[in-house]
Amino acid sequence: MLDPLAQLALHCRRIFLTNHVVDVRIGAHDFEKSQSQRVIFNVELFVPYGYSTPRADRLAEVVDYDFVRHVIARRVQKGHIELQETLCDDIAAELIGHPQVQAVRLSTCKPDVYPDTEAVGVEVLHIKQGTA
């Protein structure tokens, strides 16, 4: 039996946004609460070919990348977030709510937290019931 991502790959197009950098008010530590910091978002949406194969070469026929960027921006604009887990869960929940999206894999990382570490981060995978 195939793992869920392999099953999705058989009938879905993978739409992705890679290394999208946004300044975010995030962090549980005192040194993180005084200013925003860079957060890098990597998002994959799995959309069935029936919802992602344009017939007339029109943007309205597919899931637009701007949708992903707008979801991220709206969540970030709500104010300070303590945890990356909360940020990921909130964004993934909205993305998976899109009627054409069958699965979402989303990661965030903060590259500037520790001088001896490239980044610290979180990843989530949400799959709609009955699709994988």
Side-chain angles (χ1 to χ4, degrees):
M1 178 170 215
L2 295 174
D3 70 66
L5 282 177
Q7 289 181 14
L8 286 164
L10 292 175
H11 71 277
C12 289
R13 187 179 310 272
R14 183 177 70 96
I15 298 166
F16 58 92
L17 184 71
T18 303
N19 296 330
H20 178 56
V21 181
V22 179
D23 286 332
V24 180
R25 302 281 305 195
I26 189 167
H29 301 290
D30 287 340
F31 69 88
E32 296 177 298
K33 293 181 180 182
S34 62
Q35 60 189 11
S36 61
Q37 57 186 303
R38 290 186 310 149
V39 174
I40 301 170
F41 293 85
N42 285 286
V43 182
E44 296 175 277
L45 303 180
F46 294 84
V47 181
Y49 286 112
Y51 294 126
S52 63
T53 303
R55 288 161 183 60
D57 195 31
R58 301 285 182 240
L59 186 58
E61 297 178 285
V62 298
V63 177
D64 186 355
Y65 308 110
D66 284 342
F67 162 68
V68 178
R69 294 169 50 90
H70 292 312
V71 167
I72 292 168
R74 278 194 307 269
R75 178 56 187 98
V76 167
Q77 289 170 357
K78 287 184 178 180
H80 187 86
I81 304 157
E82 292 271 323
L83 303 173
Q84 286 189 79
E85 290 84 352
T86 303
L87 180 61
C88 281
D89 289 345
D90 290 353
I91 292 169
E94 189 167 345
L95 293 171
I96 198 78
H98 189 290
Q100 295 171 331
V101 173
Q102 295 302 299
V104 174
R105 182 161 57 181
L106 166 70
S107 68
T108 62
C109 69
K110 300 188 303 185
D112 304 319
V113 175
Y114 301 117
D116 60 351
T117 304
E118 185 175 323
V120 296
V122 172
E123 180 176 88
V124 296
L125 172 64
H126 291 249
I127 302 173
K128 284 183 181 170
Q129 292 293 335
T131 61

